[in-house]
Each structure stands twice: as structure tokens, then as C-alpha cells.
Amino acid sequence: MANLQMFTSESVSEGHPDKLADQISDALLDACLAQDSTARVAIETLLTRGLAVVAGEVTVDGYIEVADIVRNTINEVGYTDTELGFDGSTCGVMVAIQEQSPDISVGVDTGGAGDQGMMFGMATRETPELMPLPISIAHALTRRAAKVRKAHPSLGFRPDVKSQVSVVYEGHVPKKIDTVVVSAQHSPSLSHDAVKAMVMEQIIQPVLAEYEGYVDGPITYHINPTGIFVIGGPQADTGVTGRKIIVDTYGGMCPHGGGAFSGKDPTKVDRSAAYMARHVAKCVVAADLADKVVVALAYAIGVAQPVSLNIETFGTEKVGADEIERRVRDVFDLSPRAINEHLGLTSFRYLQTAKNGHFGNPSFPWERTAEADRLRT
């Protein structure tokens, strides 16, 4: 009997309150880095009805207008009217920011890691972007929902959307899409039947057409299964930076060290080393050394090189596991300073990463695979 199993991943749209909090934190980070490429930033955002609270540690040679950036980010996502449950132009903005502790700077200034922790990166041949299939489809659905909402405001869709996709696997190989869930916030003037029809026609069907090789037999659809989704965003649920770390990464198919990404400058290995782990994993797969790879790194605060490197290939390796690790160590310098230089992280702008996942977008520097040629030899 075939070894069949189901795996499920979810995504949330840019209008989800947690994702909106991530975007605000990254917009503030981008503004700091634009002023000062050596800025130290660790910002958290909390959103609730009519209020945005920004807290954290910032050391920057320059000045940013925090409230203006918060409001602009909220408005750009689409929360521009209290009728939608949140209005960037009128919501309150509270700011509680202090300087980064000099105790942390001592270790970072010498090239060490800004904190201890574990970071993981993954790559798999399931999709052209070398991402797991369930999270790729889930992100495509929320990305499509935002595009449709902005292009056709008369349809009555609102910013808060969730998607979830279940895929049947045979061993490590995805075989078919089993279940698709989409919950889309909408105008109160729309009936449930109207919303279901529009979500199917405007969002689900165009996305599944891109994955037709995995449409094999009937698919179960759950569209706005509670029947109504008018109240959403920060009015319905508090949003907090870093609460969607599985959505941000691999949809649960890869371990996660626990550290969030958004609002942190690239001296924080929570962010930069996770990006590097993805970069290494993707290069290993692109070099045809294995078909599925998870790279695990661990760091100690103030220490430059990782205290451990582990590469798991799930039996898909084409050369020995020890040889893969040797080549990785030869090709890549995994110290925080070298990672930042190799990937150009101080000049990168991070807001886009907080919308539809931090991995799989070919415009992100850690997604390149040019280094695969060196791994092959």
C-alpha cells in the first residue's frame, strides 16, 4: 500500500492584523536603515481597535517620524475608513522606543551574533521556487485576494483574508490537492452565496490553474465556512508582530527556532541567519546534491561563527552527507558580518517580506542560487 499522508499549510493576507503589525515593524526598520545603514532596530507593533502601539529598541543616526510611517502603512494596506474596522488616518499611535542595550552592542560591534538561538532553512524540489507545495499555494491565494481587492474595489472584498491548503503526499512527493479553505472579509451588503461564488471565480480558480498538475479528482472547498466575515482586521482580533512565524517560513514543514523576523535589523541572527540557512539549502538543491534539505544553524551571543551546523537531506542526497557539509563550509562564511555582506542585507528593504512570506520570492537576495556552481565542484 502506498505511503500516503496529508500535509496542511496556511497563509494570511497583508490585511490580517498580525501581518499588518509585521508590515509596520518592517516599514519602521526600512526607514531607520535608509537613514543609517548601521542602525540597530528591534521593533514590535501591537494593533487593536483604533490603536497602534509601537515599542522596542532603536539606535539610529537620524530621525524617523514614527506615527506617519505607521499611518501610511495601515492606509496602503487598505484600512482607510472606520467602516472597515480600522482607519490609518484617525487611529491612535502610541510610541515607546528606547536605545538598544550597550551590553548587546559590545558583542555585535566585533562581528559576533546579537543573540543566541537556532535558525532553520529549507529547500525542496516540490515547486520551481524550491518551496513546499502547500505553503506556495496558500500564499498564492492570499496574494491573489489582495490583487483582486485592489483592482476591483466594487466587488466588496475587504483586507483581511486567510487561506489554507491540504495536499496529499506519497512519501516526500506531493500528489494532489485535497482541501482548500479561504475566508475573505467582505462588505455587509454581500450574501454568503455571492461571496462564495466570487471567491471561487476570482481567487481560487485562477490560482489552481497554475497548479493544475496537482488537481487530480474532487477537491473539498470551504469558503467563509462561518457564513459571514464582515468584522475583521484589528477590530476583530489584536495584531502583534511575530505571531505568524510559520506563515512567514515553510508552512510547518520545517522546524522553526522560535525567533520572529519582522522589525529586526540584519545584525539579529533570528533574521539574517534564517535567510542564510534558506540560501544555503536552496543552493544545495540547485546544485543537485539533494532533492530536499533542511539546514540548521545555532549561534551564541557575541560569537561570530555558529556553534553548530546540521544538514538533513531525508535520504534524498546524491553525494554523502559529510561531503555536502564540507562543501557548504568551504563555500559559505556563516558569521553574521559575512552573511550581511554576502546577501547585502543592510541595503535591502524589508517591508515586502512581511506580506506573503519571507521565502520563495525571486527578488529577495537569499533566493539566488548562483553559488550552486561552487557547491557542485
Side-chain angles (χ1 to χ4, degrees):
M1 181 178 292
N3 177 24
L4 298 179
Q5 55 185 329
M6 192 94 70
F7 195 89
T8 303
S9 295
E10 71 158 343
S11 178
V12 297
S13 71
E14 61 183 30
H16 185 279
D18 292 329
K19 275 286 112 200
L20 182 55
D22 286 342
Q23 289 167 80
I24 291 170
S25 296
D26 271 341
L28 292 167
L29 167 65
D30 287 348
C32 290
L33 291 175
Q35 292 273 333
D36 176 7
S37 63
T38 65
R40 302 287 167 77
V41 182
I43 288 178
E44 314 284 345
T45 303
L46 179 146
L47 300 170
T48 187
R49 183 169 184 166
L51 179 64
V53 180
V54 178
E57 297 78 46
V58 174
T59 301
V60 60
D61 184 9
Y63 174 79
I64 63 169
E65 189 57 66
V66 174
D68 285 352
I69 294 169
V70 171
R71 295 183 187 282
N72 289 339
T73 305
I74 294 169
N75 285 330
E76 286 172 4
V77 166
Y79 288 113
T80 57
D81 194 314
T82 53
E83 183 184 344
L84 302 176
F86 207 59
D87 183 355
S89 299
T90 62
C91 71
V93 179
M94 294 180 60
V95 181
I97 293 176
Q98 60 186 345
E99 285 191 338
Q100 184 187 70
S101 166
D103 295 346
I104 297 175
S105 298
V106 168
V108 176
D109 291 341
T110 58
D115 202 353
Q116 68 180 42
M118 307 85 67
M119 299 83 208
F120 297 85
M122 182 183 185
T124 172
R125 290 201 187 280
E126 294 177 25
T127 60
E129 62 272 24
L130 304 186
M131 287 288 287
L133 182 64
I135 191 66
S136 289
I137 301 174
H139 281 325
L141 289 166
T142 54
R143 200 163 47 240
R144 173 74 185 177
K147 181 178 180 180
V148 168
R149 172 177 58 84
K150 292 174 180 178
H152 305 287
S154 62
L155 291 178
F157 287 128
R158 292 182 171 182
D160 196 354
V161 181
K162 289 184 175 183
S163 70
Q164 186 170 283
V165 177
S166 300
V167 173
V168 176
Y169 280 76
E170 183 175 344
H172 293 297
V173 180
K175 290 298 182 180
K176 66 180 293 289
I177 300 167
D178 182 85
T179 304
V180 174
V181 183
V182 176
S183 295
Q185 187 188 13
H186 60 86
S187 164
S189 64
L190 295 175
S191 69
H192 187 213
D193 286 342
V195 172
K196 287 173 65 177
M198 286 195 300
V199 168
M200 180 61 75
E201 178 184 352
Q202 298 287 338
I203 299 173
I204 295 177
Q205 288 178 345
V207 168
L208 293 192
E210 300 175 16
Y211 296 92
E212 60 183 357
Y214 298 101
V215 179
D216 181 15
I219 297 174
T220 300
Y221 297 101
H222 297 291
I223 302 173
N224 284 30
T226 62
I228 186 171
F229 186 12
V230 172
I231 301 172
Q235 180 182 11
D237 190 10
T238 302
V240 181
T241 298
R243 205 156 57 177
K244 286 292 179 283
I245 56 177
I246 300 303
V247 172
D248 285 342
T249 53
Y250 308 96
M253 195 169 282
C254 174
H256 197 294
F261 301 154
S262 292
K264 296 177 181 177
D265 74 80
T267 68
K268 278 68 173 177
V269 285
D270 276 343
R271 182 168 217 159
S272 57
Y275 291 169
M276 190 63 178
R278 161 65 175 174
H279 176 55
V280 171
K282 193 171 182 183
C283 287
V284 169
V285 173
D288 200 29
L289 302 183
D291 291 331
K292 182 177 181 179
V293 175
V294 169
V295 174
L297 300 170
Y299 290 83
I301 187 168
V303 178
Q305 292 296 330
V307 297
S308 70
L309 164 65
N310 180 266
I311 301 176
E312 171 61 60
T313 54
F314 306 94
T316 68
E317 67 274 8
K318 313 296 177 63
V319 300
D322 291 343
E323 174 65 12
I324 294 175
E325 181 176 331
R326 185 193 67 78
R327 295 188 193 186
V328 166
R329 290 185 181 275
D330 284 348
V331 170
F332 298 104
D333 184 342
L334 300 174
S335 67
R337 180 172 291 171
I339 290 171
N340 290 342
E341 293 174 355
H342 180 68
L343 298 179
L345 297 182
T346 55
S347 60
F348 183 74
R349 296 297 173 258
Y350 293 89
L351 176 58
Q352 188 61 35
T353 65
K355 293 180 179 288
N356 289 106
H358 293 245
F359 307 111
N361 186 327
S363 69
F364 298 163
W366 47 91
E367 294 294 314
R368 71 173 188 253
T369 57
E371 294 76 8
D373 288 339
R374 295 173 61 194
L375 287 176
R376 287 190 190 96
T377 57

